[in-house]
């Protein structure tokens, strides 16, 4: 029979697997439909109501795709809705966060050198921040500012930069990146759940009732879909970052996260422009590569205090509790003798190891 720790680890593995698989399905369908929409061609002789068409070949067969700007004159009996990929991605991600960052909040979520709060306090801050993020974003989209796609995107970027900086003052570096990814992914999933799918449902209902759909419904859904398209690549980077302390275990982690959003937008701009047959802006790859070099340079900046500074820093109440616990000195000797050669501010076990794994330092009390 599996003990609790092993069972918990396998549950986490299963949740991560589900999250990755569903994310692939969601991102894949999103990329496909954006490319399809941008690649549509218009020509004389198309059926009434058809905005454009495209021929594609895949898997040994040919596909003839047509897009109706509103809907065909007669609604088909069966419609395929692309929504469960987004819903399942968010739900599996929330479950995974609960398992890893809430279930082991003292280890992964909270850094008491950043903010000394109990585990339940950190979890509460996490949930509230994700919820407020969607509320603020949705308000901005529905405000007069939302009428300008460019202005709204710039304001959204400013919001994400502020959240990146703010999370560094609330959580550990690793949790900061994951929460920024969750913050963005929550906005994307909520776009599908609260705007895109409901608006499409209203359009279908109006057509079936013989009424003319409100064009604002389609416009709002397309705007949110565009945001999702540009946010996808940064979210993937942020979710993968928990394996790379070079990204999150540095004082400049919020700057790195801010630059990642720019890289994602540049890459999507390249593909969106190419799929729309408006040229190939190869300059975006050069700028992206330069930004990546800047990020790599920022990651090598001094990330932690010296051992002397760390020793001189007063212990937090939480740390004092453990330092005064019975057997702590014996445990400390074991850790120093077996773990601290790697988990030190300047690891000396291997010449190729520049930073402590996962950003965990175990050389001081």
């Amino acid at each position: 029979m599996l003990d609790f720790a092993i069972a918990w680890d396998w549950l986490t593995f299963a949740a991560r697997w589900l999250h990755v698989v569903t994310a692939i399905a969601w991102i894949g369908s999103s990329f496909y439909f954006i490319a399809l929409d941008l690649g549509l061609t218009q020509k004389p002789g198309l059926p009434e109501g058809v905005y454009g068409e495209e021929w594609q070949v895949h898997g040994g067969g040919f596909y003839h795709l047509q897009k109706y700007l509103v809907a065909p004159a007669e609604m088909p009996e069966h419609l395929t809705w692309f929504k469960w990929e987004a819903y399942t991605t968010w739900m599996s991600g929330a479950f995974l966060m609960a398992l890893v960052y809430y279930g082991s909040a003292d280890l992964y979520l909270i850094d008491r050198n950043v903010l000394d709060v109990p585990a339940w306090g950190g979890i509460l801050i996490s949930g509230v921040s994700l919820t407020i993020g969607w509320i603020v974003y949705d308000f901005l989209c529905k405000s007069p500012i939302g009428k300008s796609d460019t202005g709204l995107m710039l304001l959204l970027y400013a919001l994400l930069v502020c959240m990146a900086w703010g999370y560094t003052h609330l959580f550990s570096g690793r949790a900061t990146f994951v929460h920024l990814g969750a913050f963005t992914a929550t906005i994307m999933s909520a776009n599908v759940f609260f705007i895109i799918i409901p608006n499409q449902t209203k359009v279908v209902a109006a057509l079936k009732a013989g009424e003319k759909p409100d064009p604002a419904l389609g416009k709002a859904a397309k705007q949110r879909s565009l945001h999702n398209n540009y946010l996808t690549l940064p979210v993937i980077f942020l979710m993968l970052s928990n394996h790379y302390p070079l990204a999150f275990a540095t004082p400049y982690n919020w700057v790195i996260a801010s630059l990642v959003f720019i890289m994602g937008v540049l890459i999507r701009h390249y593909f969106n422009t190419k799929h729309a047959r408006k040229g190939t802006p190869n300059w975006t790859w050069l700028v992206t590569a330069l930004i990546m070099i800047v990020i790599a340079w920022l990651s090598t900046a001094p990330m932690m205090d010296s051992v002397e500074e760390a020793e001189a820093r007063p212990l937090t109440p939480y740390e004092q509790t453990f330092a005064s616990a019975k057997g702590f000195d014996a445990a400390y000797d074991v850790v120093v003798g077996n773990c601290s050669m790697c988990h030190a501010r300047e690891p000396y076990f291997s010449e190729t190891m520049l930073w402590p794994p996962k950003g965990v330092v175990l050389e001081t009390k």
Side-chain angles (χ1 to χ4, degrees), residues 154-169:
L154 291 174
L155 194 57
L156 174 58
Y157 176 69
L159 173 64
L160 292 170
V161 172
C162 290
M163 288 306 302
W165 178 84
Y167 274 135
T168 62
H169 292 75

Side-chain angles (χ1 to χ4, degrees), residues 87 191-203 217:
Y87 300 163
N191 276 339
V192 178
F193 185 79
F194 290 112
I195 303 297
I196 297 174
I197 294 300
N199 284 14
Q200 291 177 337
T201 302
K202 292 175 183 177
V203 169
L217 295 173

Side-chain angles (χ1 to χ4, degrees), residues 304 340-348 355-356 360-363:
M304 285 168 271
S340 64
M341 61 281 294
C342 291
H343 291 278
R345 280 162 176 73
E346 297 181 6
Y348 50 87
W355 311 111
V360 177
V361 178
L362 301 173
E363 64 182 341

